[in-house]
Amino acid sequence: GTLEAFVVGGRRFEPTREGLGMLAELLAQALRDNPATDINLRADRSIHWRHLAPVVESVSRAAGVSTPGRPARLKLVVAAEGSADE
């Protein structure tokens, strides 16, 4: 599968180093505001893991700066091809 962007709360983040950095900043702020925030990563089955791994790393970085010593609560939600919501 191909990847156009990551979407959080209607905001689009390009799958680039800069886009992932901005995504990590947004997630860090969300975790500072509420450390119990659950982060759901939704993707359809056609998306290759190489596209998802940078998001997992961004979530980990965000948790490291916002809630040191407490990992983020990340859930991977896999949908049928073409059905992952934005």
Side-chain angles (χ1 to χ4, degrees):
T2 60
L3 178 67
E4 293 178 18
F6 302 108
V7 181
V8 178
R11 287 184 58 191
R12 295 175 65 85
F13 298 89
E14 298 299 317
T16 62
R17 181 173 292 201
E18 181 180 87
L20 287 167
M22 292 169 41
L23 174 63
E25 289 175 25
L26 176 75
L27 295 174
Q29 185 59 53
L31 291 169
R32 277 191 290 275
D33 292 346
N34 182 1
T37 296
D38 286 334
I39 299 169
N40 296 317
L41 174 55
R42 289 185 293 218
D44 69 40
R45 294 183 186 276
S46 70
I47 299 297
H48 193 276
W49 174 251
R50 74 177 175 271
H51 297 302
L52 302 178
V55 176
V56 173
E57 291 171 14
S58 292
V59 170
S60 180
R61 259 194 331 272
V65 299
S66 60
T67 56
R70 182 177 182 176
R73 294 169 26 170
L74 175 65
K75 298 175 184 175
L76 176 60
V77 180
V78 180
E81 288 186 35
S83 67
D85 296 331
E86 288 192 352

